[in-house]
Every structure is written in C-alpha cells, then in structure tokens.
Amino acid sequence: MLGQLRQRASALQWLARPRQPEALPAVLDRQRIYVLPTGFGLFLGALLATMLLGALNYNNNPALLLALALAATALTSALHAHLQLSGLRLEALSAEPVAAGSPIQLRLALARTDTRNRRALQLNHDAAQASTDLQHGNQVEVDLWLPTSTRGWMDLSRIRISTSQPLGLVRAWSWFWPDTPILVYPAPETNAPPLPDSDTHSNHTRIHPQGDELQQLRPYRAGDALRTVAWKHSARRDGLLVREYERPSGAELVLDWQELRALPHERRIARLAHWVNEAEREGRRYQLRLPGAPPLGPANGDSHRHLCLRALALLPPA
C-alpha cells in the first residue's frame, strides 16, 4: 500500500512545475508554489468548523467572532507560508567529483529577490535533506550529501524546497530542477597491483626527505625537521646546515589501456583509476593512454589527475 502511494505521488509530481530541467538561476514565482494544510492545520480546521456551527446554532456572537478571528489567522498563516518561498532564487550549484560509491557534497547557493526573511527552509533530494534560514544577507549556501553509484555524469532529479512557517498550519513547497549534471569519478580498484615501472634502473634521481643517499647540504630554512640538521657540519659554520637526500626515480609512468587487455572493461577503468591516484600520491609524472583519445600527459598535479579521472569516468560502457 505504501509503495503504491509513493508511485502515485511520484506520478503526480510530473504535473507540477517545472516539468523539465531548467537553466540556472531559477526563481520561484507564485505559479509554481503549492500550499496544503498539515495534520495540525486539518485538526484546527475541523475545530473551527465545529465552533462556527455551534456559534450559529446557539446564536453566540462572541464564539462566532472568536472562530472567525482564528480562521483569519489561519488564512494569514497560509499566505505567509506562500511568501516564504515566493521570490527565492537558486543561483548556482557545484560539487567536487568523488569516486563512485562515495557520497558527493552538492552545494546550493540560494538567494532572495526581496528583503523578506525566510526561516526553516527544508531542502530534500531523494533521501538527502538539509535545512537553512535566509535572514542575514541576500545569499546562503546549503549542502546536500547525495549517494553515488556509477561513474560518469550524474543527472539531478527534482530538489524539493518547503516550509511550514510561521505557525505550522500549512506546508508550502516547490521544486527546483537544475539541468546541471555533476561528475562522478570511477571507483578505484581495491588491492590493485603496484604501479608499473618501465625503467626501474633509471639513473634519474629526485630530492626526497626519506631518500637513501646524501645529495647536498644547504642552509636551514624555517619548517625544516630538526632530525635533518647536520650538527657536526653546522658546528664549523655560523649557521645551521640541513641534509638533503636523493632517491632514484624511475622513468615517467605510462598507464596504457591496451596493456590491460586481459581485464574486463570496467575492471580496466578501476585499475587505471587506482594507478592514477597512486602515482599522484608518490609524486610521479605519468601519462594516460586511452582508446580513441590523445595521450594525457606526462604530468602530475591536481589538474592532471582531474583530467585523467574525468577521461576514465566518461569512457563509454563496454
């Protein structure tokens, strides 16, 4: 029974505005705000109807005046609930990509087109929910944590915004439906093999705080660890000297899609995603080669990592 009610409610949603994704910024106007009484509001309505019938039956003017005054208050509450949403604007949304299976933080920027304060605004997207007030300043940011399951572009469904202020007698609600998809990285493979190293006997070296061989002595800089200070050499100088070590560094990594032809399609993507993260963690320069696209790199850093993981996320399915 509950499942049938949810299906009917979902079907009725398609009759509400907006009926298709919309570009941002999006503004709530009176034509897309809906108001219905809450449970407490229905109880109060039944109570007022009983009071009115009793006052009319017994010709009791004070009781009739009280019932009409309470009814006017309830109607004013419904108007104020409608005004809580009218004029709200969704300026923008953003989200930092995460690996599939991890919750993603969707950040919404809400603004108002007038000077009215908004209180106890509730935002819902499927199972995710958040609340906020818009009283000081003209804009506020709200975070919704959404679950992710698959890599690639994640299209957003309707985001419901509602309030039962000021008296809780009615609930006003509306929907935003942004046409902005958010990117989800592929989930990296767990227990993946180590990085492929095409030249483990390279003569290239790089400075590393935990290297094997002493490279040079340099003057002390603020923030250097005391264990790296060369005390004996410093005793012969006026200032402190710090030891710098070097570690052999293999040639630039090549992460090639074709080298993993023995693995299934999605397994290849997961392993390459793991290797990209591992190469970044070790500070290695790497190149990613994918079918039907020019090689990415060699490079490293956050921007290069994003380009590689984005390319992996947007690979077509097998």
Side-chain angles (χ1 to χ4, degrees):
M1 179 64 70
L2 183 60
Q4 293 179 353
L5 291 177
R6 288 178 177 174
Q7 289 179 357
R8 292 176 181 176
S10 178
L12 290 175
Q13 273 192 8
W14 293 98
L15 301 177
R17 295 183 176 91
R19 295 188 176 92
Q20 60 184 3
E22 56 188 345
L24 299 182
V27 181
L28 297 183
D29 55 29
R30 60 183 180 83
Q31 297 181 347
R32 52 189 288 181
I33 299 175
Y34 306 92
V35 181
L36 282 177
T38 61
F40 178 58
L42 290 174
F43 170 76
L44 181 62
L47 181 63
L48 291 178
T50 304
M51 289 178 62
L52 284 172
L53 288 176
L56 291 173
N57 186 45
Y58 292 100
N59 198 21
N60 190 328
N61 291 334
L64 183 61
L65 180 62
L66 176 61
L68 291 176
L70 291 176
T73 302
L75 291 176
T76 304
S77 172
L79 176 61
H80 276 275
H82 185 280
L83 292 176
Q84 288 282 311
L85 300 185
S86 180
L88 279 180
R89 182 172 66 244
L90 179 59
E91 292 280 355
L93 61 85
S94 60
E96 289 294 330
V98 299
S102 301
I104 192 169
Q105 182 182 15
L106 180 66
R107 177 155 293 180
L108 307 170
L110 286 176
R112 54 184 177 179
T113 58
D114 49 49
T115 58
R116 292 193 305 272
N117 291 332
R118 270 70 173 194
R119 297 184 297 274
L121 299 175
Q122 300 286 333
L123 288 95
N124 299 84
H125 183 281
D126 296 334
Q129 58 182 1
S131 60
T132 187
D133 296 325
L134 186 52
Q135 301 187 55
H136 307 291
N138 293 322
Q139 184 170 316
V140 67
E141 290 187 346
V142 190
D143 292 337
L144 282 173
W145 290 90
L146 309 182
T148 60
S149 57
T150 57
R151 62 179 177 88
W153 291 116
M154 175 180 171
D155 292 321
L156 296 174
S157 57
R158 296 173 185 240
I159 300 174
R160 184 175 185 262
I161 181 168
S162 63
T163 183
S164 58
Q165 292 293 314
L167 299 179
L169 300 178
V170 299
R171 180 171 296 278
W173 76 94
S174 185
W175 283 280
F176 289 117
W177 196 355
D179 63 353
T180 307
I182 54 180
L183 182 65
V184 179
Y185 289 153
E189 183 182 15
T190 57
N191 301 322
L195 286 169
D197 201 338
S198 58
D199 187 7
T200 57
H201 302 289
S202 173
N203 294 324
H204 297 289
T205 61
R206 60 190 176 95
I207 296 175
H208 195 282
Q210 298 178 352
D212 305 318
E213 299 181 5
L214 179 65
Q215 185 198 45
Q216 65 180 357
L217 295 174
R218 62 166 175 81
Y220 175 84
R221 292 195 293 258
D224 287 335
L226 292 179
R227 60 183 175 80
T228 62
V229 174
W231 296 105
K232 291 183 180 181
H233 295 83
S234 299
R236 307 189 189 102
R237 301 283 296 271
D238 294 334
L240 295 178
L241 296 176
V242 174
R243 293 186 294 266
E244 280 192 339
Y245 295 91
E246 63 184 13
R247 169 178 288 183
S249 176
E252 293 168 341
L253 290 174
V254 175
L255 308 179
D256 194 346
W257 173 270
Q258 299 299 333
E259 295 297 326
L260 301 176
R261 62 176 64 89
L263 296 178
H265 185 83
E266 292 297 327
R267 183 84 177 275
R268 287 200 219 185
I269 296 175
R271 180 163 298 181
L272 289 173
H274 173 83
W275 280 349
V276 167
N277 292 331
E278 192 68 14
E280 280 294 333
R281 189 182 66 83
E282 295 186 4
R284 305 284 298 275
R285 288 172 56 85
Y286 56 96
Q287 181 186 76
L288 180 65
R289 297 178 181 176
L290 296 177
L296 298 175
N300 62 358
D302 290 339
S303 59
H304 182 58
R305 172 181 176 271
H306 170 72
L307 287 176
C308 293
L309 292 179
R310 184 182 189 274
L312 288 170
L314 300 182
L315 280 177

